[in-house]
Amino acid sequence: MTEEARPSPPCAFGPALVIAMVWALLVTSAPAHAQAPSEDPVAFDIPAGRLSSSVRSLARQAGISVASRDSGIRRIQARSVRGALTPAEALRRLLRGTPYQAVSIDGGFRIEKRASTASAAKVSMTTAAQPKPSPPPTPPQPIIVEGTKRAFGASDYPGGVKVIQLDDPVARSAGESLDDALFDVPSVGGTALGSGRNKIFLRGIADSSFNGPTQSTIGLYLGEQRLTFSAPNPDLRLYDVETIELLEGPQGTLYGAGTIAGLLRVNPRAPDPSRVASEGWMAGGFTREGGFNWDAGAVANLPVADEAAVRIVGYGGEHSGYIDDPTLLREEDINSGSHYGGRAAVGVGVGRDWDVSFTVFGQHTEADDGQYIDGAFEGLERSERVAQPFRGRVYGGSVTARGVIGTLEVTSITGLVDNALRSVFDSSVLLNVGLSDPAPGSGPPRRPGGGGGGGGGGGETSSPPPEGERRAPRRQAFVEDREIRLISHETRVSGGDLDKASWFVGVSALRNRDRLRQVFVNLDPDSPDAPPFANQSYQLDELSVFGEGSYRIAKQWTLTGGARLLYTNASGERSFGADTLIELAEDPVRLLPALALSWKPDGVWMVYVRAQQGFRSGGVTIERDPDNNPQTAIFDPDKVRSYETGVRAAWGGRAPIDVALTLYHSDWRDIQADILDRNGFPITRNVGDGTITGLDGSARMRIPGGWDLSFAAVWNDTEADRLLPDGNVSPASLPNIPEFSGFARIGKLFALNARDELGAAVSGRYVGRSFLDVDQRERVEQGDYGALDAAVWWEREAISVRLEALNITNTRGNRFAFGNPFKVRTEDQRTPLRPFTVRLQISLRR
């Protein structure tokens, strides 16, 4: 590739800037002030609602100061408090059943999380000379699921739900990406093209392996703001994030189009006006067969007024490559990359009953080349004529207002996300073979593991040119640029009491615009650049009215139901050939219902049944006519109906245990899939109907002695009637979904003394065999591997050190059998796991 086409080096001042931010933010501090509370009874009238709003109402009615140090109170539903009570008693009743308590301070109260048994044990150990028994297990705290839009407790939500708590040292480290965090959840799968361009699959709803114009099968949110509609996962780093929530199964009622598999919500920490705080991370490591990796991040929380604060996060990092190209490019570690980003939020209290927050974020992701190898080589190697870099950047911002009007809570959010992606693929095979030569896959030997008959689009072939007309090998790159802009708004009103009946209603609007430009670039001096190959845009507008409610029909039974009335309008334009406006002929109005029934016989068990559905709108794609000229094609909507039944249980005491088991069945019609045509160009078609039946189970046990055990597994049985190019139907399984996957982790905490804690954990995951669909007839085997990770950490109040060993067994595996679409039929392309890597991280807090 010419110097102009090669990736630019990482920003030279990036590491220095991030490190400077770490130390600058760690030197801040601020005093606290409070007013003396009265002990006289007050006539309180606080309706049920969000705990943060209820606390403000209590402080206003009592005329006292109540500080909250934890942004989690914004996500907890509180019961009503009424009557003549002292402020202390009113707070006690308000916080009953929550993981928070009120602590009296000089002149007021502070709300903080209840001390765990483990913390109490450490505090009671006054000298290092005392015995160092392992701490008892931490009692389970209520987990609130904000994605339900009514702050359901995880134990009360009548549906499949998983919550990943990122402050859990046994499970998580501070520098993880979203892709890394989800790797420990067997029900979640996805592609492995590389950070910033992967798809996420959930519960067997996996449309395809290639990035085309189809909508995502999940809804991806940052707090209340939707991040993607037709874009891949931007893979935002999880700095200063509290939890990741997964609502499994179609979420059309709550979230509209494009959530046929479920919801994934990342909940960042909110600005806290009660204190100054800062934290920083610095990490370095080494990858076997690769090189040095580093990442760093910092966060600062700065109060600017009594009811206002700013929270700023900055981070960056670089990872080494581990794949070599010894033949043509003659380079080592070609798949190195970097990421830089940040987030800033301003939270302001407006009056006594409203909060307004402003958030902006951005991230740049770069990879110097693809992370796949050729199985024809013995090592982590491949041979290409052209480097294949990737560049991704995402910017966004939102405004969110929450408040109380009478007994009703109002939430309104408006957001904008701008996503730009550039992918480069080596298309030299087309330049050298010629489009009149045999279609890739019909001439050269086929790769191992291929299945089915001829190539995509019916396996068309043509005769090779005469020997005298063969050309010397040349280099050519296929460059694809996508610009995706998403604007979204939602306003909803909620009310009621979770003890009896609760509800919400809302309206939403969304506009997604996806521009696609494809071009060939001939890289040899004697070959002029090719003209633009294709340029097309697609726009979708969505308006909807939705609502959901729960009613306790008996002491132990609750009925939940809801619906979304949805209007969509989609159109496309192309500017190759004659400019053309494309109108999609589909039903613009849809009704998406959901219904659930739950039974809670006691405080331990919950059993539920649920039915729900979702759909994705149709769209436009670029295909090729028999002369290989670009043309626009239309694909139809697809839809999923899902039925599930599940049981959850949580036992407390000295050995807390949480278990969950879900049986589900999904009926998927008119499946949208991105496949490859005869020359390797991604196209989108409706490929048939399918069903997914699965069983998902998990358990976590915390037992005396500081032990923490976790297990999870998922089994999927998929069937599909695939439409073939000749009009026939062929039975097959759905792509990219293994029949079985499992995960296990064991950890142990040691209390060294009153201030120091030591921990260790080992985890492993097995990913079963699945298949990549190259087209409607051909598929390639992938998966069937296992890997082990381990971590050891030491923690004190203001500092922690964590040492991680990833992929201890140095498993190569095959995460995703695709790298270059133009050669996937002729090469044994494999995507290995990152080789054995060690990482040392130091975190400082103030």
Side-chain angles (χ1 to χ4, degrees):
M1 197 177 234
T2 62
E3 291 298 322
E4 292 78 4
R6 285 192 175 276
S8 59
C11 177
F13 62 84
L17 177 62
V18 173
I19 294 172
M21 289 177 61
V22 172
W23 293 108
L25 294 175
L26 288 172
V27 298
T28 56
S29 62
H33 305 279
Q35 297 292 329
S38 170
E39 292 300 323
D40 296 331
V42 176
F44 287 103
D45 185 5
I46 303 172
R50 198 175 297 270
L51 181 57
S52 57
S53 301
S54 298
V55 167
R56 286 195 301 270
S57 297
L58 186 147
R60 182 184 71 246
Q61 293 178 27
I64 62 172
S65 173
V66 183
S68 58
R69 293 178 175 270
D70 195 311
S71 61
I73 68 170
R74 299 171 183 268
R75 293 192 292 276
I76 289 184
Q77 190 79 5
R79 294 175 171 83
S80 61
V81 175
R82 293 183 172 89
L85 306 166
T86 65
E89 176 63 16
L91 269 174
R92 188 187 69 80
R93 295 189 182 187
L94 186 66
L95 299 176
R96 182 188 301 159
T98 76
Y100 296 94
Q101 63 182 354
V103 177
S104 179
I105 58 176
D106 185 17
F109 295 94
R110 182 177 69 244
I111 295 177
E112 59 185 33
K113 279 197 172 179
R114 302 180 191 275
S116 68
T117 307
S119 300
K122 288 197 291 183
V123 171
S124 67
M125 300 168 66
T126 55
T127 67
Q130 290 178 303
K132 304 177 180 63
S134 298
T138 302
Q141 300 287 4
I143 298 175
I144 307 302
V145 185
E146 186 74 2
T148 62
K149 300 191 176 182
R150 279 182 291 160
F152 262 115
S155 61
D156 296 319
Y157 175 66
V161 60
K162 292 181 174 66
V163 179
I164 302 172
Q165 296 178 291
L166 297 182
D167 59 355
D168 183 350
V170 176
R172 303 267 76 83
S173 62
E176 285 190 319
S177 69
L178 183 56
D179 282 340
D180 294 333
L182 295 175
F183 192 69
D184 291 350
V185 184
S187 63
V188 177
T191 61
L193 279 170
S195 178
R197 48 178 167 169
N198 290 329
K199 290 183 175 182
I200 299 175
F201 304 138
L202 183 60
R203 265 201 188 172
I205 305 295
D207 53 354
S208 58
S209 305
F210 311 102
N211 285 329
T214 53
Q215 296 173 30
S216 304
T217 60
I218 66 164
L220 179 58
Y221 279 70
L222 180 66
E224 293 278 359
Q225 181 182 9
R226 186 160 191 166
L227 286 180
T228 63
F229 193 77
S230 59
N233 168 28
D235 200 22
L236 299 179
R237 273 12 186 213
L238 301 177
Y239 290 108
D240 202 39
V241 168
E242 289 183 321
T243 61
I244 302 172
E245 299 175 6
L246 285 165
L247 296 185
E248 300 174 312
Q251 299 296 324
T253 299
L254 293 181
Y255 291 96
T259 56
I260 60 175
L263 169 81
L264 196 158
R265 174 171 166 147
V266 177
N267 293 315
R269 291 186 173 89
D272 183 355
S274 69
R275 60 171 180 165
V276 172
S278 57
E279 187 171 359
W281 306 265
M282 301 180 66
F286 188 82
T287 297
R288 181 178 177 179
E289 301 184 68
F292 181 73
N293 315 295
W294 72 268
D295 62 271
V299 55
N301 185 88
L302 306 172
V304 295
D306 289 342
E307 295 291 334
V310 178
R311 198 171 188 96
I312 304 172
V313 184
Y315 56 85
E318 298 178 359
H319 62 266
S320 71
Y322 47 87
I323 294 173
D324 302 333
D325 191 322
T327 56
L328 297 176
L329 294 180
R330 299 184 184 279
E331 293 185 4
E332 296 183 349
D333 304 335
I334 59 176
N335 61 315
S336 59
S338 62
H339 65 273
Y340 297 92
R343 186 174 68 248
V346 179
V348 180
V350 180
R352 295 185 178 272
D353 295 319
W354 287 84
D355 284 331
V356 179
S357 62
F358 306 86
T359 301
V360 294
F361 64 89
Q363 179 172 293
H364 284 242
T365 303
E366 299 184 356
D368 293 341
D369 215 314
Q371 57 184 29
Y372 67 97
I373 63 174
D374 186 346
F377 293 86
E378 291 187 3
L380 298 177
E381 299 174 345
R382 70 165 187 266
S383 176
E384 297 286 4
R385 297 182 178 278
V386 177
Q388 301 174 97
F390 168 78
R391 299 289 181 270
R393 68 114 178 103
V394 57
Y395 299 141
S398 64
V399 180
T400 304
R402 300 180 188 267
V404 177
I405 300 177
T407 61
L408 304 179
E409 183 172 351
V410 181
T411 301
S412 181
I413 180 168
T414 301
L416 169 68
V417 180
D418 193 83
N419 208 326
L421 310 169
R422 165 166 282 202
S423 301
V424 178
F425 295 105
D426 182 0
S427 59
S428 302
V429 63
L430 299 182
L431 186 67
N432 292 315
V433 174
L435 293 179
S436 62
D437 285 0
S442 59
R446 299 183 62 81
R447 53 172 290 164
E460 301 91 333
T461 61
S462 56
S463 301
E467 182 68 26
E469 297 183 21
R470 290 190 180 274
R471 298 168 298 200
R474 293 178 178 175
R475 299 181 303 146
Q476 184 187 80
F478 177 72
V479 182
E480 182 175 89
D481 289 300
R482 290 182 70 188
E483 296 180 0
I484 307 167
R485 175 165 293 181
L486 173 64
I487 302 173
S488 58
H489 172 82
E490 178 177 302
T491 296
R492 62 180 185 270
V493 179
S494 59
D497 189 332
L498 290 178
D499 285 337
K500 181 64 176 178
S502 63
W503 55 270
F504 71 85
V505 294
V507 296
S508 69
L510 175 148
R511 167 169 287 186
N512 187 74
R513 180 148 191 166
D514 191 339
R515 295 179 179 271
L516 174 66
R517 182 175 183 267
Q518 298 174 336
V519 62
F520 282 121
V521 180
N522 293 339
L523 299 173
D524 292 317
D526 60 343
S527 299
D529 287 352
F533 182 75
N535 196 334
Q536 182 171 275
S537 66
Y538 171 70
Q539 178 173 299
L540 182 138
D541 297 315
E542 176 185 301
L543 300 173
S544 60
V545 179
F546 61 95
E548 187 178 84
S550 296
Y551 181 72
R552 183 160 295 180
I553 56 178
K555 184 177 180 180
Q556 300 172 344
W557 296 85
T558 300
L559 182 67
T560 300
R564 178 180 289 253
L565 185 62
L566 191 72
Y567 170 82
T568 58
N569 180 51
S571 63
E573 291 183 34
R574 73 174 189 184
S575 54
F576 53 88
D579 289 352
T580 306
L581 177 66
I582 306 125
E583 296 287 350
L584 276 68
E586 61 180 68
D587 188 355
V589 179
R590 291 178 181 269
L591 182 67
L592 304 175
L595 186 65
L597 179 66
S598 60
W599 175 54
K600 293 193 69 174
D602 50 35
V604 173
W605 293 92
M606 177 186 179
V607 181
Y608 70 89
V609 293
R610 186 178 186 91
Q612 52 195 350
Q613 67 181 54
F615 93 107
R616 292 187 294 178
S617 177
V620 295
T621 185
I622 298 172
E623 294 195 5
R624 278 82 193 166
D625 64 17
D627 296 325
N628 295 295
N629 297 313
Q631 62 184 7
T632 295
I634 295 174
F635 55 91
D636 296 327
D638 60 354
K639 47 194 172 292
V640 173
R641 290 187 176 91
S642 178
Y643 311 91
E644 65 181 277
T645 181
V647 57
R648 287 194 291 268
W651 292 270
R654 288 181 52 80
I657 302 175
D658 298 281
V659 298
L661 185 66
T662 305
L663 176 66
Y664 54 86
H665 177 83
S666 299
D667 188 13
W668 193 359
R669 298 295 171 182
D670 301 317
I671 299 171
Q672 297 174 9
D674 300 314
I675 57 178
L676 299 180
D677 73 2
R678 66 191 183 96
N679 286 312
F681 297 102
I683 60 176
T684 304
R685 290 180 178 170
N686 298 93
V687 297
D689 302 329
T691 60
I692 305 103
T693 301
L695 186 65
D696 185 357
S698 63
R700 183 174 185 180
M701 294 169 281
R702 285 148 289 180
I703 57 180
W707 292 97
D708 190 312
L709 308 177
S710 295
F711 309 92
V714 63
W715 167 81
N716 282 298
D717 179 57
T718 66
E719 297 180 358
D721 292 329
R722 304 296 303 271
L723 295 175
L724 301 180
D726 58 11
N728 293 321
V729 175
S730 174
S733 60
L734 290 171
N736 298 309
I737 298 302
E739 184 177 13
F740 175 82
S741 292
F743 170 79
R745 181 179 60 241
I746 180 171
K748 183 171 173 58
L749 299 176
F750 305 86
L752 300 179
N753 52 49
R755 297 189 302 166
D756 299 300
E757 181 180 86
L758 184 68
V762 178
S763 62
R765 183 179 182 184
Y766 171 75
V767 177
R769 187 180 66 163
S770 63
F771 298 91
L772 174 145
D773 270 13
V774 177
D775 54 47
Q776 289 150 297
R777 285 180 169 172
E778 184 177 357
R779 53 178 36 194
V780 175
E781 185 176 318
Q782 58 191 7
D784 191 20
Y785 63 85
L788 289 174
D789 298 337
V792 178
W793 65 93
W794 165 76
E795 186 168 350
R796 189 174 281 186
E797 293 156 355
I799 185 171
S800 64
V801 179
R802 186 179 182 95
L803 177 65
E804 297 175 326
L806 308 176
N807 192 9
I808 298 171
T809 56
N810 201 38
T811 299
R812 180 174 296 183
N814 184 15
R815 294 186 61 191
F816 181 47
F818 154 65
N820 182 346
F822 300 103
K823 299 172 71 174
V824 71
R825 289 189 175 93
T826 62
E827 288 185 353
D828 184 15
Q829 295 182 5
R830 305 177 185 179
T831 301
L833 281 73
R834 174 170 283 273
F836 172 67
T837 298
V838 293
R839 179 176 182 268
L840 178 65
Q841 174 182 296
I842 300 175
S843 302
L844 303 175
R845 295 177 292 275
R846 182 161 187 151

